[in-house]
Amino acid sequence: MHIICQFGDDYALASHWVTCLKQQLPGAKVSVWQPHMPPADFAIVWNPSQEMLDQQISLKAIFNAGAGVDAIRQLRLSEDIPVIRLEDAGMAEQMSDYISHAVLHHYREMDEYAVQSEKKIWQVRSPRNKNEYSVGILGFGVLGQAVAERIHALGFRVNAWSRTPHSSRNITLYSGDSRLNDFLSASRILVCLLPLTPSTRGILCTAHFHWLPDGAYIINAGRGEHLVNDDLLQALDSGKIAGATLDVVGQEPLPSYHPFWQHHKIRITPHISAATLPAVAVRQISEKITAILAGAGVSGRLDMCNGY
């Protein structure tokens, strides 16, 4: 069995994954992909090249080394080769931590207290009521479900929206385009964890901000392209949106001249909400490779029509 790894131009990262894979699958040949290398049985990729994919004529599966699949979906892929997404790989806990921090930071008015501290003002602000700060999760996949349960455990009312119906004991669920506005109207803090697809691109926009309660707060940890930048700036300046935490932006790294850096109602982090943990991911991939070789089905297969 031959496994190849390609992580864009990052040879060092691909080499690290090769080492981890060799430890998990000691009988396999594992290598960083090089042009004109003999065809492999499996490929582990992140931002792969079209050249690499075109040369692989014997793949049983491609494993995408992360939750986001928007990059690989831009390439020509054989319909006969399944693309398998990582469903967690340690990201759910990280994302839950990040979103919990952002929600609590806003709810407890820490930005306002920071301003007071800079001005040497000792002033207690009136406590808020969690019942008035319902949290809405856009996207109810593996990460969205983990985040929703964590936020619920913190005492907030939690709503979630997804394209297709789900079930949950603790979370109020909405599904389909016909329920999106109802979901938005019920969400004082809006968290975007959607995959990037043609139907979700630009979903954080004026038309949808309109349905949010006045003074709503935005947290985007999905993709930068979910957000229409000018619409957010306008909503912040009008007061419709109280503030935003953005872990993802349309252009990364965010240029120094971008107005997001200067806006006092926006908090920026450099796409760090949830990173793939190689050791955890390799264990998951190794188990799925073993299942595929045994003729068993595996979860996480990318649906090209839905985009996730």
Side-chain angles (χ1 to χ4, degrees), residues 10 17 36 40 47 57 65 79 146 152 155 166 193 206 214 228 292 307:
D10 196 334
W17 277 65
H36 309 299
N47 293 326
I57 59 175
E79 296 180 359
H152 175 265
H166 291 265
L193 295 175
T206 297
D214 291 343
V228 179
I292 290 172

Side-chain angles (χ1 to χ4, degrees), residues 70-124:
D70 37 297
I72 197 170
R73 288 181 61 245
Q74 305 305 312
L75 301 175
R76 294 189 307 274
L77 298 169
S78 171
E79 296 180 359
D80 298 327
I81 303 174
V83 177
I84 313 298
R85 297 176 292 107
L86 289 183
E87 298 166 276
D88 184 344
M91 291 181 283
E93 182 175 5
Q94 296 174 71
M95 185 65 78
S96 297
D97 290 344
Y98 181 93
I99 300 300
S100 297
H101 177 271
V103 166
L104 290 171
H105 189 97
H106 171 65
Y107 171 70
R108 293 301 303 269
E109 300 185 276
M110 291 303 169
D111 285 334
E112 287 77 4
Y113 281 118
V115 171
Q116 289 183 189
S117 179
E118 291 176 358
K119 297 179 179 180
K120 300 178 178 62
I121 296 174
W122 183 281
Q123 180 177 325
V124 177

Side-chain angles (χ1 to χ4, degrees), residues 30-45:
V30 189
S31 53
V32 178
W33 176 79
Q34 298 291 339
H36 309 299
M37 178 179 283
D41 299 295
F42 297 95
I44 319 296
V45 303

Side-chain angles (χ1 to χ4, degrees), residues 228-246:
V228 179
N229 294 350
D230 290 343
D231 288 4
L232 175 62
L233 292 170
Q234 183 180 9
L236 290 170
D237 292 342
S238 71
K240 175 63 180 179
I241 301 299
T245 293
L246 306 178

Side-chain angles (χ1 to χ4, degrees), residues 69 112 257:
V69 294
E112 287 77 4
Y257 56 79

